[in-house]
Amino acid sequence: RGEPAAPPSPPTHSGPRPVAPDILADMIELPGGSFLMGTDYPDGFPDDGEGPVREVSLSPFRIDRFPVTNEQFARFAQASGYRTEAERFGWSFVFWSHVPPARFAELVVDTVAAAPWWCKVPGARWDAPEGPGSTLDGRERHPVVHVSWNDAAAYAAWTGRRLPTEAEWEYAARGGLVQKLYPWGDKLRPEGKHLCNI
């Protein structure tokens, strides 16, 4: 018999928390203004809701230069006692190539029908990214994974910040370029070099 999901564990502080100087040092200030958000790229996926292209205006804001690391998230979890949704649900999806091949049948209990490269792994969570037996050893500065929107919002609140809006994130990710396919331009592999994981 299923139990209703528990609400996210709240951070242990109350009221606004000042942003620590070391966190501010890793953020960048962006001036805001108007930009063209979205895309009408014909090879895109309409179900992703990326279009139509529209002009959006933003106030100035700050955003992290880098993704939140395992080390940073560990400090939050230890200080606040927060448990992520993957921890409370008891499983998360792991990308197929991250599942050790010798343990695939043992770890994977299901896959997503329309995207079978996402594997349901009981015990996969932020501090056991590939499931039972995996650790963060040597990956302290890697981006934290198995974190839901609710988990990310709780972390942001604990640090005295908030999550960026979709428009803020896209504006920052575009790096000042107008309607380019990638943050560096329109070519996937400029000069034959991959600049992203695809």
Side-chain angles (χ1 to χ4, degrees), residues 10-85:
T12 56
H13 73 281
S14 60
R17 178 185 174 105
V19 181
D22 62 320
I23 290 174
L24 283 176
D26 278 341
M27 298 184 82
I28 187 169
E29 286 196 45
L30 295 177
S34 295
F35 81 108
L36 295 177
M37 181 174 171
T39 182
D40 290 326
Y41 180 56
D43 292 334
F45 299 95
D47 289 347
D48 285 349
E50 296 172 336
V53 175
R54 63 264 186 211
E55 187 173 347
V56 174
S57 296
L58 296 172
S59 299
F61 65 99
R62 286 191 180 109
I63 194 165
D64 286 355
R65 292 175 188 266
F66 309 106
V68 174
T69 65
N70 288 317
E71 187 175 60
Q72 292 169 320
F73 198 82
R75 283 199 297 269
F76 158 62
Q78 289 161 7
S80 69
Y82 184 85
R83 294 181 68 233
T84 61
E85 291 189 324

Side-chain angles (χ1 to χ4, degrees), residues 132-188:
S134 62
T135 70
L136 299 179
D137 291 346
R139 295 188 276 188
E140 293 81 5
R141 295 183 59 85
H142 286 209
V144 66
V145 295
H146 301 297
V147 171
S148 70
W149 186 93
N150 289 323
D151 302 333
Y155 172 82
W158 183 79
T159 63
R161 298 175 293 170
R162 63 169 175 83
L163 296 179
T165 65
E166 182 179 1
E168 287 171 336
W169 190 92
E170 183 173 327
Y171 173 84
R174 285 187 176 278
L177 300 182
V178 178
Q179 286 293 293
K180 297 296 182 184
L181 290 178
Y182 307 103
W184 54 85
D186 284 328
K187 291 188 177 178
L188 174 60

